[in-house]
Each structure stands twice: as structure tokens, then as C-alpha cells.
Amino acid sequence: MTRTLAPSVERPVQRIDPPARSRPPRPRKRSSPWFYMAPSLIVLGALTIGPAIFVLYSAFRNDRVLGGAGKFVGFDNFITALTNPSTQHSFLVTIAFVVVVVALELAAGFALALPLSGQTRANRFGAAIMLLPFAVTPAAAAIVFKQLLNPNFGWIGYYLGFLGLPEGTDLLSDPTTAWLMLVILDMWQWTPFIALILMAGLQSLPLEPREAAMVDGASSAQMFWHITLPQMLPFLSIAVVLRAIQAFKTFDSFKILTGGGPGDSTEIINLGIYRIGLQTFNVGLACALGVIFLVLLSLLIPLLQRVIGRRADPEEMS
Amino acid sequence: MSQSGIRTSKVSPGALTLWLAGRTWLWLWLVISMVPIVFMLITSIKPTALANDIPPAWIFTPTLENYAAVLLPGAGNSEGFANLLLNSAIVSLGSTALALILAVPAAYALSMRSFRARKGLSNWILSTYMFPPIVAVVPIFLIVGRLGLMDTYIALIIPYAAFNLPIVVWILRSSIIQLPYELQEAAMVDGASSWTILTRVIWPLLVPSAATAAVLTIVLTWNEFLFALTLTRSGAKTAPVGLQQFTGLYGTDWGNITAAATLTAAPILVLMVLLRRQMVSGLAFGAIK
């Protein structure tokens, strides 16, 4: 790029006389970047590194908020966290949930983005409508879903009754259908986000390769597999990584719609930590679970840096 | 667009089928996904007597009684939802202001060419986006309790600002990097300090992206649930948390619940519809501009 040719001027070669209406003299040295960084680093550090250290410390102790001073217990909490069937279960269902919703939302979102990518008035209207569920406050969405699914008065039970659903079926009382409802709620809310990322991607693709393929007589399917899909890979990976991170943080919908039930069938790790740490106050175990969760999530950091870092400033990352 | 030109010139049956399938899927999705929103809006303006009717009543005289009942303190509703909405607004605006005050200088530092650590720090800030709030909430709960800040605005404002910093810093940093560097060079030659460059040269040009980042932060903090649920009791309780407790207070008075849900969702719906491109691009860290 041309920018690299310009010598970066680290400080003025020579200070010219201050302008007439100048402020009081400043120190000659330009303030350090650290001066500008410090406030952010302090706050961000206090809210991420601080808690991480605390969690790591508490994970080796048996502190309970209400039970007096705890003591060092070594790896006990980690052993419990990794061997207890119910915590194992919550890690597994969390990962399963993330994989399932990301895959389904990616497929559904791509299938929405393709017809929406043409820039027509109907499509602009369609895209605006499509985004509405994404804009609904997640807690409000979960409350509304819960009302819709009410076995006695809900619209869903009533209208699905025409399709043969027995009257009074409680879709949230069976583990399988409860899972299905959580997946549907998540898809309802987040597919539009993925669709809009992919739509923006499709609209930014160069047309020439497709035109050339068309001249060569490629079929629509060939064109999709050999041209559109490879071109879209960067956008697909942005959507997958961002969505996976958000899906790992899901809390509202589970807490409100099922509360982890029936039984503990929908207790994802977020709910598990919440229940263990803030309701039964077993801080040590909650922190051990938190450490394991942190380690698990940190595996995604390189992916995040690759997909965001590279797209966000191509000149720097190269 | 040239696409439609190509399409009409040579339509194979396969392409037509695909096109039809795509349109069908799209409109089917749009119609079905509107059901919860339509339910929420319709039920919120139904007279109480009809709200629980099955089959659902579609013809009725709209009423605002549910909104009035929800907003004002009344029987079984000591707080009034208006208070919770006000709390949400204070917390959202406060954390957004704090996030911007922290992020603008940081983004500027992360755009400085002489700053060796900038790449590492940018990546670190980006990686904190991964940090799961559930892991932070247990220590923060204990610290907030010890400091006696439980159920105060500040206990929400600071964590919210911190958790939105990665997005805000990255949006602002990308915008600063995209500004012509010659502007900064010219100011430096004139002897401007870096503070002057930030406030007089960069900030005026940064206002549009800062506005986008601000709106995005408002939306994310308005919608937040976990911290609000954990760190507030009544004084600083926000609207999403209040919603969840409605079921208990009212049994299933759907009119009231849906009115409260509508009131909670409406400001965000409006912002999102007005700024949808910027919001989605912002949530993708500007990676899809």
C-alpha cells in the first residue's frame, strides 16, 4: 500500500511557534499510547482478568457464601466437575446445543440470504421484516414463547391441534420437545442475524466469475457449489464463529422457558453455574466449572482473531 | 442489476425451481416468524375478558387498559413497570457513556503507528469478547455484595461497559485506521499534541461510528438479563428481569405480560429497524462492511 511509503512521523521534527490562541504549554513529549489505553485496560482487566483469577483461586477451595471460611481442597472441585454425571451432562448438552443451533441457523440463514440478496424493493422490505425477531429483547421473546406454548391457552397448542396434536399437550414437559422448543426459539431469534451477514457478503461478491460460468453453460447447482460457496467462505466463517460464541453465552431463554427442566434435561452449563454458584452457593464447584468453561471457550479465540482480525484490517494482519 | 438481465436471457427449469424454492422458503419464514410478534402485539391490546379465550379472539375493540395497568403501580404491582423501564434506560445510557469514554482514547492508541504493543493489545481486547459473563458473575456478585453496591445502578453500569468494550473499541479502531493518515501527519507537523489530534482532528470524523457503537451498546445493555437478574433486587431492577417476575405476580394475565413485553421490546425494535445495516455490521465487528 502507498501508506507504508510515507515515513511515519513519530514526533514533530521541530515545534513551530504555538498558534496565537494556544492552550497552556504541554509537555514536549507526546503522551504515551499507554496513557490512552490505561482506563480501558483497568476496567476490562478488572472485569475479566480479575474474575478469572478469583475463579481460579476459589476453584481450589470449598468456600461457601453462607458457610464460614473455607479451605484449600486441591483438585476436589475439578474432580467433581468432571466426574459428576449432572455436570458432565450440562457440558455435553451445552456443546450439543451450540453445534445444533449454529448448524441449523447457518443453513436456514443461507437459504434466506440467497433469495434476499437481489436488491429489489420487495427484498428490502423482506429483510426489514426478517430482522424483527432479532430485535425483540430475548427475555421478552422467551416470555412470549412461554405464553404461546401454554398447554391450556396457548396459540401453538390450539392451532397445532388442527394438525393432530392432542389437546393439552405440554411441549415443555417432555425433554425432547422442550429441547426442540429451545432450538426453535434460538433459531427464530438468531437466524436473521446470520442471514443479514451472509446477505451483505453475497452483495459484495464480484459478479464476473458467475457471469463467466454462465457463459460457459454451468448449471445453477454447479455455480453454487463451485463459485458462490467458495467465495462466501469468509462470511460463513465470520457468521459461524460469532454465532458460536454468542450461543455459548445463552442464558435468558433457558432460564425463562424451561429453567433447565424437565428434570435437568435442558440444564446447560450457564444455568448449572448459576444454580450451583448463586442459588446453592457452592462457590468452589461453580468456579471449577467456570475454569473448565473458560478453557473450553479460549479454544475459540484464535478462530475469532483470524476471522475478525483479518477482515477488519486487511493491511495490518496480512 | 445485471443479474436479472442474465436470468431472463436464459432460464433453465432447474434455475427456475431453485428460484421458486428460495422465494417460498423466504415468505414462509417471514410469515411464521411474525407469529410471536403478532401474538404479543394483539394480546397486549385485547380486553382482559378476551385475553385467555381459546379459540383466540381475532375481532375485538382494542384497548390500552393493559398498558395503563402495567405502567402504574397498583394492586399486586408495587413498583410499576414504568420504574423498571426508567432503570433500564439509566443503566443503558450510563454504561454506553462509560464505554465510549473508555473506548475512544483506547481506539486512538490502538491506531498509533508508533505503538509497538498495539497488535497484541487489539487482539487481547478482541479476545475478551469470548469471556463468558456467567464466569464473571459469581465473583462480581460477591465483590458487589462486599462493597455494598448490590441493587445500585453502578453495579450494572461498570460490568456492562466492560463487556461491550471489545465491540466498541474494535468498531472505533477500524474507523480511525480508515481515516486518511495524512490528516494526522499534517496536524503533527503543525505541532499538535496527540490529545489535540484526538479531540480536534479525529473525534469530529469519528462521530458517525461512535453513534453506531453507542446505539449498539444501548441495545445490548437494554436486553441484558443475567447480570440484572443477579445484581439487582428492586431499586435498580431492569425491565427484562421484571418481565420474568410478572408471571408470578399476575398468574397468567396475558394482557399485562404481553403489554410489558411490548414496552420492553419496542424501543429496541425501533432502533433496530432504523439502523439495521449498521447494527448487524457492528455486531460483526465491522467485518462485513
Side-chain angles (χ1 to χ4, degrees):
Chain A
M1 304 283 172
T2 51
R3 271 193 204 177
T4 50
L5 295 176
S8 68
V9 184
E10 302 231 339
R11 58 189 66 189
V13 178
Q14 175 199 358
R15 279 181 77 100
I16 302 183
D17 289 338
R21 49 187 190 86
S22 75
R23 310 213 209 151
R26 308 189 154 277
R28 304 251 336 211
K29 199 161 156 262
R30 288 174 61 215
S31 358
S32 151
W34 291 104
F35 168 77
Y36 295 100
M37 283 305 303
S40 280
L41 290 181
I42 291 169
V43 171
L44 205 51
L47 275 293
T48 57
I49 297 176
I53 292 171
F54 177 94
V55 165
L56 197 57
Y57 168 78
S58 298
F60 290 100
R61 301 171 58 83
N62 63 353
D63 291 324
R64 280 164 195 267
V65 172
L66 307 171
K71 61 174 183 9
F72 181 79
V73 293
F75 283 94
D76 280 7
N77 289 319
F78 287 97
I79 293 167
T80 312
L82 291 169
T83 57
N84 184 321
S86 92
T87 51
Q88 281 179 343
H89 171 78
S90 55
F91 273 114
L92 287 179
V93 295
T94 306
I95 292 169
F97 174 74
V98 172
V99 170
V100 167
V101 296
V102 172
L104 289 176
E105 284 162 18
L106 194 69
F110 205 2
L112 288 172
L114 287 167
L116 272 178
S117 62
Q119 310 230 19
T120 65
R121 188 176 291 182
N123 278 349
R124 271 194 290 277
F125 175 73
I129 296 286
M130 181 182 70
L131 197 64
L132 290 181
F134 180 59
V136 174
T137 305
I143 294 270
V144 166
F145 262 67
K146 195 160 183 175
Q147 305 308 319
L148 281 169
L149 290 167
N150 181 302
N152 300 315
F153 304 109
W155 282 20
I156 290 184
Y158 176 72
Y159 288 109
L160 283 185
F162 293 119
L163 300 174
L165 191 80
E167 201 176 313
T169 309
D170 187 355
L171 290 166
L172 295 176
S173 69
D174 175 80
T176 315
T177 50
W179 264 111
L180 190 62
M181 294 306 122
L182 286 164
V183 169
I184 288 175
L185 170 55
D186 201 81
M187 283 185 73
W188 176 79
Q189 188 129 53
W190 284 97
T191 304
F193 173 66
I194 291 198
L196 281 165
I197 289 183
L198 298 181
M199 209 178 105
L202 283 167
Q203 286 168 353
S204 72
L205 295 183
L207 280 176
E208 291 78 13
R210 259 177 295 169
E211 281 169 357
M214 197 156 270
V215 172
D216 290 344
S219 74
S220 322
Q222 284 173 322
M223 207 124 78
F224 178 78
W225 282 111
H226 297 293
I227 296 172
T228 309
L229 202 57
Q231 282 181 320
M232 282 296 288
L233 277 182
F235 296 97
L236 292 166
S237 50
I238 289 173
V240 167
V241 171
L242 287 178
R243 184 64 203 112
I245 293 170
Q246 290 150 349
F248 271 115
K249 297 178 182 174
T250 309
F251 180 79
D252 320 16
S253 57
F254 282 76
K255 172 81 178 141
I256 294 172
L257 202 56
T258 66
D264 66 348
S265 56
T266 60
E267 180 155 298
I268 53 165
I269 191 64
N270 284 305
L271 276 183
I273 295 177
Y274 178 81
R275 188 174 54 73
I276 294 169
L278 296 170
Q279 288 180 337
T280 58
F281 292 114
N282 187 345
V283 176
L285 181 56
C287 288
L289 287 167
V291 170
I292 298 169
F293 195 33
L294 261 184
V295 170
L296 181 74
L297 278 175
S298 64
L299 301 176
L300 281 168
I301 290 177
L303 288 175
L304 177 70
Q305 287 175 347
R306 184 166 296 191
V307 299
I308 301 298
R310 190 156 296 163
R311 301 274 323 168
D313 25 73
E315 48 184 300
E316 185 177 316
M317 307 292 283
S318 65
Chain B
M1 297 269 309
S2 56
Q3 273 176 310
S4 58
I6 296 170
R7 192 180 289 138
T8 47
S9 66
K10 186 179 164 191
V11 180
S12 72
L16 189 65
T17 318
L18 274 180
W19 182 81
L20 267 179
R23 302 305 297 182
T24 314
W25 165 247
L26 173 62
W27 290 107
L28 203 64
W29 178 279
L30 291 182
V31 169
I32 293 177
S33 73
M34 282 307 108
V35 169
I37 295 177
V38 169
F39 165 81
M40 178 173 85
L41 293 176
I42 287 198
T43 311
S44 75
I45 53 169
K46 261 188 198 176
T48 316
L50 297 177
N52 283 8
D53 276 8
I54 282 290
W58 281 93
I59 297 163
F60 57 87
T61 320
T63 165
L64 291 178
E65 62 184 56
N66 293 318
Y67 287 92
V70 161
L71 282 172
L72 306 169
N77 179 12
S78 55
E79 289 160 291
F81 206 65
N83 267 338
L84 306 194
L85 293 168
L86 183 66
N87 289 344
S88 278
I90 291 171
V91 169
S92 301
L93 294 174
S95 62
T96 302
L98 180 58
L100 276 182
I101 290 169
L102 295 171
V104 170
Y108 174 47
L110 291 177
S111 76
M112 286 183 183
R113 303 191 161 196
S114 56
F115 190 23
R116 289 244 177 105
R118 72 168 180 162
K119 194 173 157 185
L121 275 177
S122 305
N123 279 335
W124 180 71
I125 288 181
L126 179 61
S127 71
T128 60
Y129 181 63
M130 294 288 324
F131 199 85
I134 189 71
V135 174
V137 83
V138 175
I140 290 175
F141 173 81
L142 298 174
I143 291 164
V144 163
R146 196 151 303 172
L147 294 176
L149 290 172
M150 199 56 87
D151 205 19
T152 59
Y153 295 134
I154 199 80
L156 291 181
I157 287 176
I158 293 175
Y160 286 174
F163 281 101
N164 287 312
L165 262 184
I167 297 183
V168 178
V169 168
W170 265 73
I171 292 175
L172 295 178
R173 193 192 79 115
S174 310
S175 312
I176 296 177
I177 288 177
Q178 277 163 16
L179 297 176
Y181 191 63
E182 291 71 21
L183 291 173
Q184 290 189 49
E185 280 179 334
M188 282 181 216
V189 171
D190 289 346
S193 70
S194 57
W195 180 255
T196 313
I197 293 177
L198 174 60
T199 53
R200 302 281 177 83
V201 181
I202 292 181
W203 172 248
L205 299 168
L206 201 60
V207 167
S209 353
T212 303
V215 176
L216 197 64
T217 315
I218 290 174
V219 169
L220 292 171
T221 52
W222 179 278
N223 286 349
E224 208 280 339
F225 181 74
L226 173 62
F227 276 77
L229 177 69
T230 313
L231 302 177
T232 66
R233 295 290 171 269
S234 60
K237 187 160 67 178
T238 62
V241 177
L243 270 185
Q244 188 221 14
Q245 288 154 359
F246 250 82
T247 335
L249 282 172
Y250 286 90
T252 37
D253 189 333
W254 290 8
N256 285 350
I257 296 172
T258 49
T262 308
L263 287 168
T264 308
I268 305 306
L269 272 167
V270 171
L271 283 178
M272 198 74 109
V273 168
L274 292 179
L275 297 166
R276 85 187 134 90
R277 260 299 168 80
Q278 289 91 321
M279 303 287 262
V280 172
S281 139
L283 275 173
F285 291 82
I288 56 155
K289 259 178 202 147

